[in-house]
Short mmCIF file of all heavy atoms in Angstrom, two decimals:
data_model
loop_
_atom_site.label_atom_id
_atom_site.label_comp_id
_atom_site.label_asym_id
_atom_site.label_seq_id
_atom_site.Cartn_x
_atom_site.Cartn_y
_atom_site.Cartn_z
N MET A 652 92.10 89.27 86.00
CA MET A 652 91.47 88.51 87.07
C MET A 652 90.07 88.04 86.63
O MET A 652 89.49 88.59 85.69
CB MET A 652 91.38 89.34 88.35
CG MET A 652 90.58 90.62 88.25
SD MET A 652 88.77 90.43 88.46
CE MET A 652 88.64 89.88 90.15
N THR A 653 89.57 87.05 87.33
CA THR A 653 88.23 86.51 87.07
C THR A 653 87.35 86.79 88.27
O THR A 653 87.60 86.28 89.36
CB THR A 653 88.28 84.99 86.82
OG1 THR A 653 89.09 84.72 85.68
CG2 THR A 653 86.88 84.43 86.62
N PRO A 654 86.33 87.62 88.13
CA PRO A 654 85.43 87.88 89.27
C PRO A 654 84.72 86.60 89.71
O PRO A 654 84.38 85.75 88.88
CB PRO A 654 84.42 88.90 88.71
CG PRO A 654 85.08 89.49 87.49
CD PRO A 654 85.94 88.39 86.93
N ALA A 655 84.48 86.48 90.99
CA ALA A 655 83.78 85.29 91.49
C ALA A 655 82.38 85.19 90.92
O ALA A 655 81.89 84.08 90.66
CB ALA A 655 83.74 85.32 93.01
N PHE A 656 81.70 86.33 90.70
CA PHE A 656 80.34 86.27 90.19
C PHE A 656 80.28 85.72 88.77
O PHE A 656 79.20 85.38 88.27
CB PHE A 656 79.65 87.64 90.25
CG PHE A 656 80.18 88.66 89.27
CD1 PHE A 656 79.79 88.64 87.95
CD2 PHE A 656 81.06 89.64 89.69
CE1 PHE A 656 80.27 89.58 87.04
CE2 PHE A 656 81.55 90.59 88.81
CZ PHE A 656 81.15 90.55 87.48
N ALA A 657 81.46 85.62 88.11
CA ALA A 657 81.51 85.14 86.73
C ALA A 657 81.56 83.62 86.62
O ALA A 657 81.51 83.09 85.50
CB ALA A 657 82.72 85.75 86.01
N VAL A 658 81.68 82.91 87.74
CA VAL A 658 81.74 81.46 87.65
C VAL A 658 80.42 80.93 87.10
O VAL A 658 79.37 81.56 87.24
CB VAL A 658 82.07 80.80 89.00
CG1 VAL A 658 83.39 81.32 89.55
CG2 VAL A 658 80.95 81.00 90.01
N THR A 659 80.48 79.76 86.49
CA THR A 659 79.29 79.18 85.88
C THR A 659 78.83 77.96 86.66
O THR A 659 79.55 77.43 87.51
CB THR A 659 79.58 78.78 84.42
OG1 THR A 659 80.69 77.88 84.41
CG2 THR A 659 79.93 80.01 83.60
N GLY A 660 77.64 77.50 86.35
CA GLY A 660 77.11 76.28 86.97
C GLY A 660 76.58 76.53 88.36
O GLY A 660 76.39 77.67 88.80
N PRO A 661 76.33 75.46 89.11
CA PRO A 661 75.72 75.56 90.43
C PRO A 661 76.52 76.41 91.41
O PRO A 661 75.95 77.01 92.32
CB PRO A 661 75.64 74.09 90.90
CG PRO A 661 75.65 73.29 89.64
CD PRO A 661 76.52 74.05 88.68
N ALA A 662 77.85 76.46 91.24
CA ALA A 662 78.69 77.19 92.19
C ALA A 662 78.33 78.67 92.26
O ALA A 662 78.59 79.32 93.27
CB ALA A 662 80.16 77.02 91.81
N ARG A 663 77.72 79.20 91.20
CA ARG A 663 77.39 80.62 91.19
C ARG A 663 76.44 80.99 92.34
O ARG A 663 76.43 82.13 92.81
CB ARG A 663 76.77 81.00 89.85
CG ARG A 663 76.35 82.46 89.76
CD ARG A 663 75.80 82.83 88.40
NE ARG A 663 76.86 83.06 87.44
CZ ARG A 663 76.65 83.50 86.20
NH1 ARG A 663 75.42 83.73 85.78
NH2 ARG A 663 77.66 83.70 85.38
N SER A 664 75.67 80.03 92.81
CA SER A 664 74.71 80.33 93.88
C SER A 664 75.39 80.51 95.23
O SER A 664 74.72 80.90 96.21
CB SER A 664 73.67 79.21 93.98
OG SER A 664 74.27 77.99 94.38
N SER A 665 76.69 80.25 95.30
CA SER A 665 77.39 80.31 96.59
C SER A 665 78.48 81.38 96.63
O SER A 665 79.34 81.33 97.51
CB SER A 665 78.03 78.94 96.89
OG SER A 665 77.05 77.92 96.92
#
Side-chain angles (χ1 to χ4, degrees):
M652 61 83 65
T653 299
F656 70 79
V658 303
T659 57
R663 178 177 280 185
S664 65
S665 302

